[in-house]
Amino acid sequence: MGRHLLGTLALAAGIVILGACLAPAAHAAEHSGEPATVATSALAGGETASHGGADDPHQRADAFGRELGGLWTLPFVCMLLSIAIFPLVFPEFWHHHFGKVAAFWCLAFLVPFTIKYGISLSAYVVLHTVLLEYIPFLILIFALFTIAGGVCLTGSLVGRPLVNAVLLAIGTALASWMGTTGAAMLMIRPLLRANAHRKYKAHTVVFFIFLVANIGGALTPLGDPPLFLGFLKGVSFFWTTQHLLAPMSFMAVLLLALYLGLDSVLFAREGMPVPPDTGGDTLRLEGGLNLVLLAGVVGSVLMSGIWEPGKGFSVYHVRVELQDLARDVLLLALAFVSIKITRPETRKKNEFDWFPIIEVGKLFAGIFVSMIPAIAILRAGEHGALAGVIALVTTHGEPVNEMYFWLAGGLSSFLDNAPTYLVFFNTAGGDAQFLMRHVHTLVAISAGAVFMGANTYIGNAPNFMVRSIAESSGVKMPSFFSYMAWSIGILVPSFILVTVLFIKG
């Protein structure tokens, strides 16, 4: 079975390589009527270009998104389909080989890209993604996973509908102040333990992803990476608190009400079960020092956005800033301290193991690398293959805020929501002072990027981690497409209401 699957993958990759290498090199010139630029000529010549600044990989990387056709996104699409289909159709194969599949689709992009544009640009774009995006992402996830895994709430916390709703509400409130990832990692295990005796549990984790891992992070730049990027661009720290409070509160109340109704029905259908052993009559927190370490994580991330020493170093033209390096070292140090100070018994009570972080690390390596052409095309804006999409957000020079909301959100459901936010932020003018005065446009971009990360398992960083932790605890979670059925059935109608009530033209 494994050989047949790998053979099918090899055939698909061969088609990708052949098609990509034969694809037109000047996509933007064909569709816009503009002549090919010096950078375009350099790209077409791979590593042989030698005129002016065209040899600089940084300069060349700024231009190649204009050259790429839609076919270049095929490895990323296949990566997503592998995550969606293989666990359902070939679960045994996927469990043992998901890392190889992720590496395969990375190569399906990198091989034709290297053939077409040369090893110099190929090495640069991979290093840029790995050093500035993937490694910081993985270090942050690792630190939060490790530290939150050392916090254990024991006692008579029983997963009745009202208790579950309160836990979801607490996690939603925390998400804006300690990040969706931090709140998710802190709250998921107490919620799973409280419901360990329940028959129906997957719906609780789904609503947890909706609320705690996504929508709850809308009120401050600490909540979600897109808002943090907006803060770095000049958006006031409490602007989102003021202007996203109403739509976020609406979504939270609506989803909590829906959850409470659904869980009450399922709880009654189960016969209102009571766990045989609640672990004592009083609630008790173990590993409380880890909460101090979590505060250190939030402080480290905030520091990296505020402190600008203007120093750093380069790895093959990729600039690594001192503040980012300091943040990552601090996060690793905090995780190491957590490992040292937390009793093994506490982590055992949390059913803590390292498989979820290993799974996320391998799969997101494949996602980050195979996503490179999709992000490059999106950043090319009106000069790229998605020019038609970008054009939808403006009519006669005026912003179409509803389209900003749905396009920023729709793309954030599958692509990294941080660069997607930046693309639409810049499309709307890129001036923070201007956009803060044009409230509805910035609300549309911000809410779309944050809220709609809940539409798929890969829409926001903690989604996949929460699913993996839940499955490690024995919860049978929906497949990739089944989860999207939940999001389409519940979130999309809710987003339509948000559009009508809060996103104005």
Side-chain angles (χ1 to χ4, degrees), residues 198 203 207 257-267 486 490:
R198 295 279 303 271
H203 69 288
F207 274 86
L258 288 173
Y259 171 78
L260 191 58
L262 175 61
D263 198 43
S264 297
V265 170
L266 294 177
F267 187 63
W486 280 86
I490 295 173

Side-chain angles (χ1 to χ4, degrees), residues 67 75 112 118 266 297 299 372 399 441 494:
E67 321 303 326
L266 294 177
V297 171
I372 288 172
T441 301
S494 304

Side-chain angles (χ1 to χ4, degrees), residues 421-505:
Y421 170 93
L422 275 185
V423 166
F424 286 100
F425 184 91
N426 290 327
T427 301
D431 184 339
Q433 298 304 315
F434 173 84
L435 288 173
M436 284 192 290
R437 292 193 301 271
H438 291 71
V439 171
H440 296 300
T441 301
L442 189 53
V443 164
I445 297 168
S446 303
V450 175
F451 290 179
M452 294 198 199
N455 284 341
T456 72
Y457 277 134
I458 66 164
N460 198 22
N463 298 7
F464 206 93
M465 179 69 78
V466 168
R467 189 194 84 159
S468 187
I469 291 173
E471 288 182 335
S472 294
S473 298
V475 179
K476 185 174 176 55
M477 290 296 294
S479 67
F480 189 91
F481 290 126
S482 296
Y483 175 86
M484 286 186 65
W486 280 86
S487 66
I488 291 171
I490 295 173
L491 291 180
V492 170
S494 304
F495 294 148
I496 292 173
L497 290 175
V498 169
T499 305
V500 172
L501 295 173
F502 304 104
I503 308 298
K504 301 176 183 177

Side-chain angles (χ1 to χ4, degrees), residues 1 5-6 11 44-45 48 115 118 124 132-133 159 171 187 201 209 261 279 310 349 367 371 426 428 439 445 482:
M1 177 66 73
L5 286 171
L6 290 175
L11 177 61
T48 62
I115 293 172
Y124 175 82
L132 301 188
E133 297 173 20
M187 297 298 298
K201 294 174 277 194
I209 293 173
K349 289 178 183 178
I367 290 170
M371 187 168 59
N426 290 327
V439 171
I445 297 168
S482 296

